[in-house]
């Protein structure tokens, strides 16, 4: 990263893939937070949550690898941790619409 030394968070590594939104990597690195909205698709829901994948960022994928001090929801789907509105440490940016968690990014891989 920028050469500054930061302590990794207590939980991780996790990763977030950003092939569909290349600007997301820069937003996460520059802000130190990852955002989330209510889930859609297969696991649709009403409560906003930050979504990620468990483990390091796999080779060949665009995205970031991170640690956080915020514990994932205990009811998260295996290998797909989530941090939901109302849980300790989850920042509510827009009630019922947008939440965030603070992260320490340990790897960034941008699209070539």
């Amino acid at each position: 990263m920028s050469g500054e030394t930061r302590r990794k968070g207590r939980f991780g590594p996790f990763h977030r893939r950003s092939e569909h939104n290349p600007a997301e990597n820069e937003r996460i690195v520059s802000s130190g937070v990852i955002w989330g909205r209510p889930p859609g698709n297969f696991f649709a829901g009403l409560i906003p949550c930050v979504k990620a994948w468990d483990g390091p960022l796999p080779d060949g994928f665009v995205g970031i690898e991170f640690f956080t001090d915020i514990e994932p929801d205990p009811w998260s789907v295996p290998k797909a941790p989530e941090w939901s509105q109302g849980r300790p440490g989850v920042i509510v940016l827009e009630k019922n619409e947008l939440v965030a968690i603070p992260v320490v990014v340990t790897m960034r891989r941008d699209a070539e």
Side-chain angles (χ1 to χ4, degrees):
M1 302 299 359
S2 64
E4 84 179 36
T5 303
R6 291 186 62 190
R7 179 185 65 82
K8 292 180 183 177
R10 295 184 304 144
F11 302 99
F14 305 108
H15 68 275
R16 180 89 166 235
R17 301 172 190 176
S18 58
E19 293 92 357
H20 303 295
N21 186 359
E24 184 175 6
N25 283 355
E26 182 56 34
R27 283 196 298 266
I28 294 168
V29 170
S30 65
S31 69
V33 298
I34 296 180
W35 303 270
R37 294 194 176 275
N41 301 327
F42 188 72
F43 294 106
L46 300 175
I47 298 173
C49 63
V50 174
K51 296 163 277 304
W53 296 97
D54 200 16
L57 182 65
D59 290 340
F61 282 90
V62 173
I64 57 107
E65 183 177 305
F66 68 93
F67 286 77
T68 183
D69 282 331
I70 311 305
E71 184 176 14
D73 297 348
W75 54 81
S76 295
V77 174
K79 303 290 183 187
E82 295 182 347
W83 296 262
S84 298
Q85 177 179 297
R87 297 271 299 144
V90 175
I91 303 161
V92 177
L93 300 172
E94 295 176 39
K95 187 173 171 85
N96 298 324
E97 290 296 326
L98 185 64
V99 295
I101 59 168
V103 299
V104 175
V105 175
T106 54
M107 182 173 57
R108 172 182 178 172
R109 188 177 303 126
D110 293 322
E112 296 182 7

